[in-house]
Amino acid sequence: MKKWILLLGLLLASLPALSAQRLKDIANIGGVRPNQLIGYGLVVGLDGSGDKVTSSPFTGQAMINMLNQLGVQVPPGTKIDPKNVAAVSLTATLPAFAKRGQAIDVTASSIGDAKSLRGGTLLLSPLKGADGQIYAMAQGNVVVGGAGASAGGSSTQINQLSVGRIPSGATVEREVQTALGDGEFIHLELQEADFTTANRAVQAINKIFGADTARAVDGRLIEVRAPFDSNQRVQFLSRMENIAVDPADVSPLVIINARTGSIVMNQAVTLSSCAVSHGNLSVTVTNTPQVSQPNPLSGGKTTVTNQADIVINSTGGKVVGLKGGANLSQVVNALNALGATPQDLISILQAMKSAGSLKADLQII
C-alpha cells in the first residue's frame, strides 16, 4: 500500500501542466443530450433458475397478461409457477439524434428472486421515457458475464448472474427532437463552471470566427452566433468544437473516501510549513477464566471468575518537518515516512487542514 501511494504521488507530480484542450472536451452543445429509458419485461428459457411465484407474485401476473394478449385464455384460479421465467427491469439510454429503426443496447436486471438470467431470452417489451411515452421496443437474448453452479448444498459463483446485457436489443420507435440552438444562437455549456475558462473560450472563438461571435452569459454558459442553414450550422459546429482552449488551472483538492480509505490528491496540492508527528497506541485486554473448586464434602459451590490483564503498548512517533510550498510528491513522501496507513492519512490530512497548513479543499465522500 505504501509503495503504491508513493508511486501514485511521484507519477502525479511528474505530470506536466494542463495543456490546451479541444472545446468539445470541456463543453457540451446546449440541448444535445441523451435520454434515459426504463421498462418491464419477462425473461424466459431459464434453466430452472427463474422466479418463484410464491415470493414474486408479479411474475405470475405478468405471464397471465402476456398469454391473454397472445390469445391464450388462462382459466381463472389457475396456478402458474414456471421456474424458467424471471421478471426484469429494463434500462437503456436513447442517444441524441437517435432515429427510428436505430438499435440501442439494453440492460436487464432481475427484480424477483431469480438465481440467474444466464441463457434467457427477453420477450418483446416497451421502453418508456420520463413522459410515459414509448420510445423503443426491446427483445433478444440476454448475455450474462458471470457463471455459477450448485450441487449437494454447495455453490460457487463468478460475477453477477442476476444482471445481463442485450447488445442492440432495442429498436427506436419514437424520435426526440433536438434543436441546435434557439434562432441564430447556439449555447455552449462548460462541464465545469469557471469564469476564466469561459473567458478564454470566448476569446478563442472570436479569434477564429470574428468579434462578437461569442459572448459569455455566466461562468458556465456561452452564447454563440451561428448560421441559420442546418448544413452550414453543422459545419460551423464542426470547426468550433475543435478549437483549442487553455482551461483554467485546477484548484487544489483532496478527496477522501472515509468508507474505503481511498485518498486522491491533484498536483496543485501544497503545504505551508508544518511538523507532523505520528505514533501508535495499542491497548490489549484479555480475560482468563479461573475456576474455584471447593474441597470434597465441604458443601461449597464451584465458582468461575475472570482475571483481566491489560497491556498498553505505545510506539514513539516520528516528527517530520515540511517546508512551505511543498508539492504533492513531498507530501506523499512525508506521509509515507511516517508509516501511515490510509485511515491514518485521513486523520493527518484533516488535522493539517484544521491547522491551516494544507492548501487545498478537503472533500469527504
Side-chain angles (χ1 to χ4, degrees):
M1 176 63 72
K2 297 178 183 177
K3 294 181 179 179
W4 182 85
I5 296 177
L6 176 60
L7 179 61
L8 176 62
L10 294 176
L11 178 62
L12 293 178
S14 63
L15 292 177
L18 288 177
S19 57
Q21 299 183 30
R22 295 179 303 174
L23 196 57
K24 67 184 298 182
D25 296 329
I26 61 175
N28 301 318
I29 306 296
V32 180
R33 46 154 292 178
N35 293 276
Q36 305 301 319
L37 303 179
I38 189 171
Y40 173 87
L42 292 175
V43 172
V44 301
L46 303 177
D47 188 14
S49 60
D51 293 338
K52 298 178 181 178
V53 176
T54 54
S55 55
S56 301
F58 45 83
T59 303
Q61 180 181 356
M63 287 192 59
I64 293 176
N65 294 338
M66 179 200 68
L67 293 174
N68 289 336
Q69 292 178 2
L70 295 178
V72 179
Q73 299 297 325
V74 179
T78 302
K79 182 180 179 181
I80 297 181
D81 190 13
K83 296 181 180 180
N84 60 346
V85 180
V88 294
S89 64
L90 307 173
T91 56
T93 299
L94 185 67
F97 308 114
K99 303 300 180 182
R100 291 184 179 179
Q102 180 177 337
I104 57 177
D105 295 342
V106 179
T107 299
S109 306
S110 173
I111 59 177
D113 55 359
K115 297 180 180 179
S116 174
L117 299 180
R118 191 177 182 86
T121 300
L122 174 69
L123 300 181
L124 189 64
S125 307
L127 297 177
K128 299 182 179 181
D131 57 359
Q133 300 294 324
I134 296 176
Y135 286 88
M137 298 297 294
Q139 182 172 276
N141 297 325
V142 181
V143 179
V144 178
S150 61
S154 300
S155 63
T156 182
Q157 178 176 321
I158 302 175
N159 298 332
Q160 278 289 91
L161 299 176
S162 57
V163 178
R165 295 274 292 179
I166 309 176
S168 302
T171 303
V172 177
E173 300 294 343
R174 182 190 297 265
E175 301 175 3
V176 177
Q177 298 298 325
T178 303
L180 286 178
D182 183 13
E184 62 176 328
F185 294 100
I186 62 172
H187 297 91
L188 285 179
E189 300 170 355
L190 295 179
Q191 296 175 2
E192 296 183 5
D194 188 278
F195 292 107
T196 301
T197 304
N199 181 54
R200 292 178 180 177
V202 169
Q203 293 178 354
I205 295 173
N206 289 337
K207 182 178 180 180
I208 300 296
F209 296 104
D212 299 330
T213 301
R215 72 179 188 93
V217 178
D218 51 36
R220 182 182 295 272
L221 184 63
I222 300 174
E223 192 176 66
V224 182
R225 194 184 307 274
F228 283 97
D229 181 73
S230 59
N231 185 54
Q232 294 180 0
R233 178 163 289 196
V234 170
Q235 295 177 1
F236 175 84
L237 292 175
S238 175
R239 293 182 56 194
M240 185 183 66
E241 68 180 6
N242 288 289
I243 296 177
V245 177
D246 293 321
D249 297 335
V250 296
S251 300
L253 179 63
V254 178
I255 300 178
I256 298 175
N257 190 325
R259 294 182 293 273
T260 62
S262 303
I263 300 175
V264 178
M265 299 178 282
N266 62 23
Q267 62 182 3
V269 175
T270 58
L271 289 178
S272 61
S273 299
C274 67
V276 179
S277 175
H278 175 70
N280 292 323
L281 178 66
S282 63
V283 179
T284 304
V285 179
T286 59
N287 289 323
T288 303
Q290 294 184 348
V291 179
S292 177
Q293 181 70 32
N295 294 326
L297 305 178
S298 63
K301 294 183 180 180
T302 301
T303 60
V304 179
T305 61
N306 289 327
Q307 179 65 38
D309 296 326
I310 302 177
V311 180
I312 300 177
N313 295 322
S314 179
T315 303
K318 300 178 181 179
V319 178
V320 177
L322 296 175
K323 297 181 179 180
N327 57 27
L328 175 63
S329 63
Q330 293 170 321
V331 174
V332 175
N333 287 338
L335 294 178
N336 279 279
L338 296 175
T341 65
Q343 293 297 330
D344 295 329
L345 289 176
I346 295 177
S347 301
I348 292 173
L349 291 174
Q350 288 177 330
M352 286 181 175
K353 179 65 176 179
S354 300
S357 61
L358 180 61
K359 305 303 180 181
D361 291 332
L362 194 62
Q363 293 185 5
I364 301 178
I365 60 177

